[in-house]
Amino acid sequence: MSVDASLRRRSRGRQPARQGMFLVANAALLDALFFVGAVAVWPLYRDRAFLVLVTAALILAHLIAYAGLRRRWSGWWVALAAIGVYVVAGVPLAAPGALSRPDTLVPSLLGVLTAPVTGWKDLLTLELPLGSYQATLAPALLLFLGIPVAALSLAWRARRLWVLAAPLGLGLTVFGVLFGARTLSAPLVAGTRLTGAVEMFAGASALLLALVYTVWRTQYERRRAVRAAEDASGVRATGRTGSALAGRTTIAAGMLAAAMAAGVALAPWALAGQPRDVLRAGVDPRVELAGQLSPLSQFRQFFSDDSFDTVMFTVDGASGADRVRLATLSYFDGRVARVIDPAAGVSDQTTAFVRVPAELPAPADTVPTTADVRIGAYQGVWVPTVGSLTAIAFDGGTGGGRADGFFYNAQTRMGIALPAPGLREGVSYRQQAAIDDDPPALATLTPGRDTPQQDPALVPESLIAWIAAQDAPAAGAGLELLIDRLRARGLLSHALTVDPVEPPQWAAALGDYAFEPSRAGHSTDRIDQLFTALLDRQNDVGGSDSTALVAAPGDDEQFAVAASLIADQLGFASRIVVGARLNDAADPADTPFCVGGACTGGDMSAWIEVQDASGVWVPVDVTPQHAVGVTPDLEQRRDPRNPTEVREEVAEPVLPADADPADSGDRDDDEQTSGPDLSTLWTVLRVTGITVLGLLILFGPFALVVVLKLLRRRSRRTAPDPVARVTGGWDEYVDTAVDHGYPPPGTHTRTELAARYAGDDGAGSGRVLAEWADRSVFAETPPDPADGDRFWEIVEAERERFAGLGGRWERLRARLSLRSLLPQGTRRRERGGSTGGPRGRR
């Protein structure tokens, strides 16, 4: 009795230490999983405030879960405690900027309280990284507090639902993936090209840690059940031999290593060039922009008498900036130049407008500057900006609402203000910007491709013929020559007709100016008309004197499209920009500029930007000259025209450019048959291949185990030797029992094994199999072939009996068990142990 009492006291003394190790081990493995989740979420914020939040949230989560364990709180009380901590710590952790600005304290608290419902929109519509902008850290606080509290509570307290702890921890990594950027991380790791290295590390590490935790906890529960059985029965069980454990560990590690190696080798190939489908890719103000008219089609409205001398907006500061941008038009469909490509998907970065967080990173080789902008008579969704925007702050009581409606595209350097409240007279904001430091000269640029990118059907033949007639060199020198000749041989004209008695303000401001009518619009037909006139003039007059070759009236609307198409023909990526110059660049064509930062309608212009092979965008002015008019020689060589007297009472109004059906609206592309399109088939094959590869990586090892056992059983059952068929049937019976958790055969005889595998109730036909197998092996005469078939019928019945002893999961685990596949040397008889019953299910 004294010995038993001593053992019980020693067992009770070990309980607190054992429980403490249990809590620490669970927390350590789950904390590693939470850390990987923080790595996956880090690209969303990239701010020290996020690191402080994660650290504090995990500490608070451990305290809440431990308090619930010690005080035996129900799940509802634990949830209420977590909610209370979230509300109290929300502003200091999720909106740290509000602590230094008392006027934003209440809005920040409301942002924290509404984050579980509305905070996700900010994560999807703001440009990355988010930093600590407003209350964008609130969703992260909610997840890094709520998920660890739930996972730790389940791991420490639940007897069966602990299996949900690891999947909950994976939720943090899933959050980082779904709300992450549209593009993968940098493809270089330690000098090795590896696409999506950060994402691959986060995903693989999270899955591996979840698997390690599940395996460790399963083994712990098994050992705990064995200890309980030992305490109840008084029979001490021995552990698994080192060789068996080493074999199982080696096989499992090999399978994991093979799967990881296959994933690392094949994932970059599968992901290369593919868009990343995340939630952010589906949130875009494209619908709002699709309803907006092209800003280039509205260009001539700035030169009406109502707008010509009216201040549209004022730009103060902006040291080093020489231009202010309204809109960037990167697409030309033959009718209008557009901001977005209607045929492009939402993953196209040139059409992706997102909200701006606290700060955007500045591009390389730029210098910072600050511009204060005040809106005057200007109206529209296109926001005046200088350089590359890094931060913007709207003034006034409605500044927060305007910040929420402001979207920006970093690639095109263009911002838009969606309605309510949008831009209106009196709105002001301060913009932090990055200005290109000393951009290269046009003549030194190198094209990034060898062939044009524009659809040949949208390029007038007259443009190609005019380029060929100039005999210009290649690259930037040729582009500079062509643009100079285009501007010098054009004539500035903003209207189709003018009153010669009272000319419009724009014409009067040009001084000694000979007006020539020019049609609005910039469709392919209008550009063809421009270059046809230039070719006709050059063919008639000859020579290279541009003053004698002036023949194409128009303005920036037509000449910007013409110059963009020329750049495309020379291999340069190009885009059109509508905006204004902030200073006088001593341009020979006298391009207007904003005097003192006050930009009037007459100061507006359009230019193009061409991209060098290095990726730098260089602005190029395209405004035609106005000093030299169209010479009369061309008029004398033309066929006589019958003048038509225009009577005001019967005259039909000419639709402005923005409402001209020929220059706006959607274009129905003509269907062309150019052979079978195999792109869809390739996409289907690629997606199918990637899917099959993923399934093989996930389920291939399990399928391999099942196939190996099936082939082994078939080989034993179809053995040509009757003795081999019987002994193979006995081995199948033993392997089935081992896979179902019974101890390996060791040195037991067949009869002893049959008694052990029969269980406490003695059910089954194991004894019959044992006697039959012994007789077949030791008898003088071999068994009849028909005896082998009957022996295997009994074996199949025994296999069904073993399968019926447990539930569905036990049957699946037996089918995937590796115990029977181990060499016989590693399946030694365990010492001690009971005389029956499965020992593998602890």
Side-chain angles (χ1 to χ4, degrees):
M1 295 295 295
S2 60
V3 174
D4 292 342
S6 176
L7 290 176
R8 284 195 296 270
R9 285 194 301 268
R10 188 178 303 174
S11 177
R12 286 195 299 267
R14 288 196 297 263
Q15 286 299 324
R18 187 177 296 170
Q19 184 180 13
M21 291 298 298
F22 169 75
L23 298 180
V24 171
N26 276 275
L29 290 175
L30 290 177
D31 284 345
L33 190 57
F34 302 151
F35 170 75
V36 173
V39 172
V41 180
W42 166 255
L44 273 71
Y45 297 97
R46 296 186 183 275
D47 193 272
R48 284 186 295 179
F50 172 73
L51 301 179
V52 174
L53 180 146
V54 171
T55 303
L58 291 180
I59 293 175
L60 293 173
H62 284 69
L63 294 177
I64 295 172
Y66 186 72
L69 173 67
R70 292 300 302 269
R71 297 180 179 273
R72 300 183 181 275
W73 288 345
S74 66
W76 290 107
W77 283 106
V78 173
L80 288 176
I83 293 173
V85 170
Y86 170 78
V87 173
V88 173
V91 173
L93 295 178
L99 300 179
S100 59
R101 296 183 59 186
D103 59 321
T104 62
L105 189 59
V106 174
S108 298
L109 178 59
L110 293 177
V112 171
L113 296 178
T114 58
V117 179
T118 62
W120 316 106
K121 182 192 71 173
D122 294 334
L123 300 185
L124 297 177
T125 56
L126 284 168
E127 181 60 285
L128 300 181
L130 302 173
S132 56
Y133 177 68
Q134 293 183 356
T136 53
L137 282 167
L141 175 62
L142 180 66
L143 292 177
F144 279 92
L145 179 66
I147 287 181
V149 166
L152 290 171
S153 298
L154 290 174
W156 286 345
R157 304 175 62 181
R159 296 294 299 272
R160 296 182 178 180
L161 294 181
W162 63 263
V163 295
L164 299 179
L168 280 173
L170 288 175
L172 296 175
T173 304
V174 173
F175 166 71
V177 172
L178 292 181
F179 287 83
R182 296 179 180 90
T183 57
L184 295 172
S185 59
L188 291 179
V189 175
T192 304
R193 190 170 187 84
L194 190 62
T195 302
V198 175
E199 292 79 5
M200 186 181 302
F201 164 78
S205 300
L207 290 175
L208 186 61
L209 286 171
L211 179 62
V212 169
Y213 172 78
T214 304
V215 171
W216 171 82
R217 184 61 185 268
T218 302
Q219 294 297 320
Y220 175 84
E221 294 296 330
R222 182 173 179 266
R223 289 191 298 269
R224 189 172 63 84
V226 170
R227 287 196 299 269
E230 291 175 347
D231 294 340
S233 63
V235 178
R236 182 175 179 80
T238 58
R240 187 180 291 112
T241 60
S243 58
L245 182 61
R248 292 166 61 91
T249 305
T250 302
I251 293 176
M255 293 169 62
L256 287 175
M260 293 288 292
V264 171
L266 298 178
W269 169 82
L271 296 176
Q274 295 299 306
R276 188 184 185 194
D277 292 330
V278 294
L279 296 179
R280 180 177 302 275
V283 179
D284 202 313
R286 292 169 53 90
V287 176
E288 182 70 27
L289 290 180
Q292 298 292 329
L293 293 175
S294 170
L296 195 61
S297 297
Q298 300 175 293
F299 181 75
R300 290 195 175 185
Q301 294 183 4
F302 289 116
F303 297 90
S304 65
D305 286 350
D306 295 335
S307 302
F308 185 77
D309 282 337
T310 304
V311 176
M312 299 287 108
F313 49 84
T314 303
V315 180
D316 294 328
S319 175
D322 65 338
R323 300 172 191 266
V324 56
R325 180 191 311 261
L326 285 182
T328 304
L329 301 93
S330 304
Y331 304 97
F332 178 63
D333 63 2
R335 296 190 178 187
V336 291
R338 299 179 181 272
V339 172
I340 63 174
D341 182 6
V346 295
S347 61
D348 189 346
Q349 292 301 291
T350 56
T351 65
F353 287 85
V354 294
R355 293 176 57 205
V356 179
E359 186 175 358
L360 293 177
D365 300 326
T366 57
V367 293
T369 190
T370 301
D372 292 315
V373 183
R374 184 175 183 84
I375 302 299
Y378 169 74
Q379 293 181 352
V381 299
W382 323 107
V383 179
T385 57
V386 298
S388 296
L389 183 143
T390 56
I392 189 170
F394 289 86
D395 299 331
T398 59
R402 288 192 171 88
D404 290 340
F406 178 77
F407 290 79
Y408 186 72
N409 184 291
Q411 288 198 9
T412 59
R413 301 183 178 183
M414 175 176 52
I416 60 173
L418 298 184
L423 295 182
R424 62 186 180 187
E425 188 172 0
V427 172
S428 60
Y429 53 90
R430 169 164 289 189
Q431 179 206 343
Q432 305 293 333
I435 307 300
D436 292 330
D437 185 16
D438 192 17
L442 178 59
T444 63
L445 300 186
T446 302
R449 55 177 185 265
D450 298 329
T451 57
Q453 190 178 26
Q454 187 63 262
D455 185 355
L458 305 181
V459 181
E461 294 182 2
S462 57
L463 181 147
I464 300 175
W466 183 82
I467 293 176
Q470 307 314 305
D471 195 22
L479 179 61
E480 184 178 44
L481 175 63
L482 293 174
I483 297 297
D484 288 344
R485 289 185 177 180
L486 176 67
R487 301 180 65 190
R489 298 175 186 182
L491 177 65
L492 183 63
S493 177
H494 294 300
L496 185 64
T497 61
V498 297
D499 188 345
V501 179
E502 295 183 5
Q505 295 184 35
W506 69 264
L510 296 178
D512 186 12
Y513 167 73
F515 170 76
E516 286 288 335
S518 69
R519 180 166 62 90
H522 52 274
S523 64
T524 300
D525 176 71
R526 179 67 178 88
I527 304 303
D528 179 60
Q529 181 189 42
L530 185 149
F531 282 101
T532 299
L534 291 175
L535 274 175
D536 290 344
R537 180 64 177 173
Q538 184 170 350
N539 293 334
D540 289 344
V541 177
S544 59
D545 184 8
S546 294
T547 58
L549 299 178
V550 177
D555 59 10
D556 298 21
E557 179 185 0
Q558 294 81 38
F559 280 78
V561 176
S564 178
L565 293 176
I566 291 175
D568 179 72
Q569 291 297 309
L570 297 185
F572 288 96
S574 64
R575 59 195 187 191
I576 301 169
V577 181
V578 177
R581 295 193 69 115
L582 294 177
N583 52 60
D584 186 5
D587 183 25
D590 293 334
T591 301
F593 64 95
C594 305
V595 179
C599 300
T600 64
D603 297 329
M604 305 305 294
S605 64
W607 61 90
I608 68 169
E609 290 180 340
V610 294
Q611 189 177 37
D612 182 55
S614 63
V616 177
W617 289 93
V618 178
V620 182
D621 289 311
V622 298
T623 305
Q625 60 82 33
H626 60 269
V628 181
V630 177
T631 55
D633 293 333
L634 182 59
E635 295 295 331
Q636 295 174 1
R637 295 171 185 270
R638 289 177 178 170
D639 294 334
R641 297 180 179 178
N642 297 323
T644 302
E645 181 182 359
V646 180
R647 298 180 180 179
E648 184 175 355
E649 63 272 10
V650 297
E652 295 181 1
V654 179
L655 294 175
D658 57 353
D660 190 349
D663 291 332
S664 62
D666 296 332
R667 181 174 66 90
D668 296 330
D669 296 331
D670 295 331
E671 295 184 0
Q672 298 180 359
T673 303
S674 58
D677 184 8
L678 300 180
S679 59
T680 302
L681 177 61
W682 167 244
T683 302
V684 172
L685 292 177
R686 182 165 186 162
V687 172
T688 304
I690 295 174
T691 303
V692 172
L693 177 62
L695 293 176
L696 287 177
I697 293 176
L698 290 176
F699 302 106
F702 305 108
L704 179 62
V705 172
V706 175
V707 170
L708 288 177
K709 290 184 178 181
L710 181 63
L711 294 177
R712 181 184 63 182
R713 184 164 64 251
R714 181 179 180 183
S715 175
R716 290 170 174 174
R717 189 164 189 169
T718 58
D721 185 13
V723 176
R725 291 177 64 188
V726 172
T727 55
W730 171 259
D731 291 338
E732 185 68 23
Y733 167 76
V734 173
D735 289 339
T736 301
V738 170
D739 284 337
H740 279 83
Y742 288 86
T747 58
H748 290 83
T749 64
R750 291 190 176 95
T751 303
E752 292 173 341
L753 281 178
R756 299 187 71 185
Y757 295 163
D760 297 334
D761 54 358
S765 303
R767 186 176 298 276
V768 175
L769 293 177
E771 294 175 355
W772 204 334
D774 287 339
R775 186 168 61 251
S776 299
V777 172
F778 298 107
E780 296 181 359
T781 58
D784 188 82
D787 294 340
D789 296 336
R790 290 193 296 271
F791 188 90
W792 271 93
E793 291 177 359
I794 301 175
V795 171
E796 293 296 337
E798 284 296 287
R799 294 183 68 249
E800 293 180 0
R801 181 181 68 84
F802 283 126
L805 294 177
R808 180 182 304 174
W809 291 109
E810 284 74 9
R811 291 194 296 270
L812 179 61
R813 184 168 59 181
R815 291 190 178 184
L816 301 178
S817 174
L818 299 174
R819 300 184 68 196
S820 65
L821 294 177
L822 296 175
Q824 289 292 334
T826 63
R827 296 191 295 170
R828 296 175 181 174
R829 172 181 176 273
E830 298 179 5
R831 302 176 184 176
S834 60
T835 58
R839 294 183 46 82
R841 294 176 287 181
R842 299 183 184 177

